[in-house]
Amino acid sequence: MASSTVIETLADLVRINSVNSSYEGGTGEREIATSIRRYFERQGIEVWEQDVFPGAGRPNIIARLPGRDPTRRIILEAHTDTVGVQGMTIPPFEPRIAEGKLFGRGACDTKAGLAAMMHAVATLHDEGIVPPCEVWLAAVVDEEFSYRGVVKLCEGLTGHAALIAEPTGMRAVIASKGVVRWRIRVRGKAAHSGKPHLGINAINHMARIILAIEEDHQRLSAREHPLLGPATCNVGVILGGVQVNVVPAECVIEVDRRLLPGEKTETVLADYQGMLDGLKVLHPTLDAVMEAPMLTDEALATPADAAPAQLASAVLNEMGLDGGLCGVPFSSDASKLSRQGIPSIVIGPGSIDRAHAAVEYVELDQVEKAVEFFRQFILRFR
Ligand SMILES: [Zn+2]
């Protein structure tokens, strides 16, 4: 049976360092995966590991609750990794409860949502309830770095609704922006700065590109998505030049473009390539190349009239919470489950403003409400 409270389970999860292995001091998800597997084993709930990084010991954990209709499935999904702890001003792995909050790394992002999902499943099982649809609880690795956990989960996966735990303040999120990040590299020609006409100044040419990107950004802001606002573009890194008396032979920028639903990565990148081609016509010595993207993720856009969205909204309203469907500016595992054809909602306790923060916490009453929300959703989705 579910012998501990959801807050005790949350504290147990926070106590385990599960910083993503790709970050400084990251020990990975092995220990937390084992802890979650044992939790379900103790309840007598079917549970198994799904290998994600062969040999690295970073598995997804999947628990399964049979449903009355074996052909229909709900996916409850939460990531087990966290970001690093640099800059934190509280002990990251010593969960402390004060003022109705639990403090620690991962408290809101997203161990609170995970603990609430675990308790929803465990209590239903404990009460002998067989829900209308089969339920999978998937605790997946690597959301905070490269989404490898959810990508593995999605292989061959079918489902009729997915709830993805992220700190949304228990609002039901149906839309989020996508992202593409890539480098633009300008090659010039080095020369003595006393005779700059003998060289090609890569920084000067990059300045033209940055201004063109900024003008394009103004154009982007003219079109607004009702839940997400406009697409955006930010040049976040610039590197160029070796010393002040040398004409710089190279300059590199890193660009972060946030995508609206409907925007395709290939089309967006082709637009920027077109921009570079136009500049090359005006400035024949401008030699710029776009590198393959470092990261791409499509937007999430679950229709507001999709059955899971309607049910999530109704349950929240009945609980006295805000049932309005909304959008958020951060990406999550949801876009991958959505691309798999599973209508996906992002919802969980806590605020995204407290995620990745120096002081991370989650409000305990929201964690309790999340358990009730997940239970109601499982009981009523058919
Ligand atoms: Zn998260």
Side-chain angles (χ1 to χ4, degrees):
M1 56 171 274
S3 51
S4 56
T5 68
V6 66
I7 304 304
E8 284 166 349
T9 300
L10 170 57
D12 288 343
L13 295 175
V14 170
R15 210 168 277 122
I16 299 170
N17 175 346
S18 63
V19 171
N20 191 296
S21 316
S22 297
Y23 295 124
E24 193 183 327
T27 53
E29 303 91 340
R30 177 67 264 175
E31 189 182 348
I32 197 167
T34 301
S35 168
I36 296 164
R37 196 191 70 222
R38 292 205 177 122
Y39 174 90
F40 287 111
E41 284 169 351
R42 280 197 302 275
Q43 324 286 332
I45 293 171
E46 183 186 356
V47 60
W48 66 93
E49 295 195 358
Q50 182 181 48
D51 205 14
V52 179
F53 296 89
R58 300 177 63 191
N60 293 339
I61 299 293
I62 300 170
R64 175 181 166 273
L65 212 55
R68 292 199 295 274
D69 182 348
T71 69
R72 292 182 66 78
R73 182 183 296 143
I74 300 172
I75 316 288
L76 305 181
E77 199 261 23
H79 62 87
T80 51
D81 61 327
T82 71
V83 292
V85 299
Q86 281 71 30
M88 286 193 83
T89 54
I90 57 169
F93 310 119
E94 295 166 32
R96 185 175 63 89
I97 293 176
E99 299 157 0
K101 303 174 182 125
L102 185 142
F103 294 78
R105 176 55 88 222
C108 74
D109 187 10
T110 206
K111 293 178 176 179
L114 171 59
M117 287 175 166
M118 289 163 67
H119 270 254
V121 168
T123 54
L124 289 172
H125 174 77
D126 191 33
E127 292 159 24
I129 292 170
V130 179
C133 302
E134 172 173 293
V135 179
W136 277 25
L137 187 154
V140 311
V141 300
D142 196 39
E143 191 273 345
E144 297 288 5
F145 189 70
S146 60
Y147 300 122
R148 290 273 299 275
V150 70
V151 168
K152 184 71 190 179
L153 173 68
C154 282
E155 283 178 8
L157 182 69
T158 58
H160 300 83
L163 300 176
I164 293 86
E166 289 290 352
T168 69
M170 287 310 292
R171 294 286 305 272
V173 170
I174 57 170
S176 63
K177 290 179 186 176
V179 64
V180 53
R181 292 182 185 148
W182 76 102
R183 291 191 185 91
I184 299 176
R185 187 177 299 274
V186 170
R187 288 182 297 237
K189 188 177 158 201
H192 191 286
S193 62
K195 290 185 171 180
H197 59 282
L198 296 179
I200 299 169
N201 190 312
I203 291 179
N204 287 355
H205 276 324
M206 188 61 92
R208 296 182 171 94
I209 294 170
I210 293 170
L211 284 175
I213 290 175
E214 178 55 18
E215 277 171 28
D216 188 63
H217 184 217
Q218 303 297 329
R219 181 187 63 78
L220 291 178
S221 47
R223 186 168 82 89
E224 294 219 0
H225 183 276
L227 295 179
L228 299 172
T232 58
C233 189
N234 183 62
V235 177
V237 172
I238 181 163
L239 300 165
V242 286
Q243 61 184 55
V244 69
N245 59 354
V246 176
V247 173
E250 186 171 80
C251 186
V252 178
I253 58 171
E254 293 183 1
V255 187
D256 176 299
R257 171 73 155 76
R258 299 295 164 131
L259 310 173
L260 290 182
E263 285 193 310
K264 288 266 171 280
T265 304
E266 309 78 58
T267 317
V268 166
L269 290 175
D271 285 349
Y272 287 92
Q273 184 61 57
M275 174 194 295
L276 294 184
D277 294 342
L279 287 169
K280 284 178 195 169
V281 172
L282 291 171
H283 306 280
T285 62
L286 190 156
D287 175 9
V289 292
M290 302 224 312
E291 297 188 353
M294 304 172 273
L295 176 79
T296 65
D297 186 25
E298 283 171 33
L300 169 72
T302 300
D305 61 0
Q310 289 293 306
L311 177 59
S313 180
V315 170
L316 290 172
N317 282 330
E318 286 164 28
M319 290 176 65
L321 300 172
D322 187 343
L325 301 167
C326 61
V328 290
F330 59 88
S331 57
S332 71
D333 282 346
S335 56
K336 276 63 74 182
L337 285 151
S338 176
R339 193 169 55 214
Q340 188 67 12
I342 306 170
S344 299
I345 311 291
V346 186
I347 185 165
S351 164
I352 193 68
D353 297 338
R354 300 267 52 93
H356 306 193
V359 178
E360 179 171 351
Y361 62 78
V362 66
E363 297 80 358
L364 300 181
D365 64 324
Q366 282 206 16
V367 184
E368 310 270 5
K369 286 190 176 118
V371 177
E372 187 53 28
F373 170 81
F374 292 129
R375 279 176 55 95
Q376 286 299 323
F377 190 94
I378 293 168
L379 286 169
R380 288 166 59 177
F381 188 79
R382 58 191 69 236

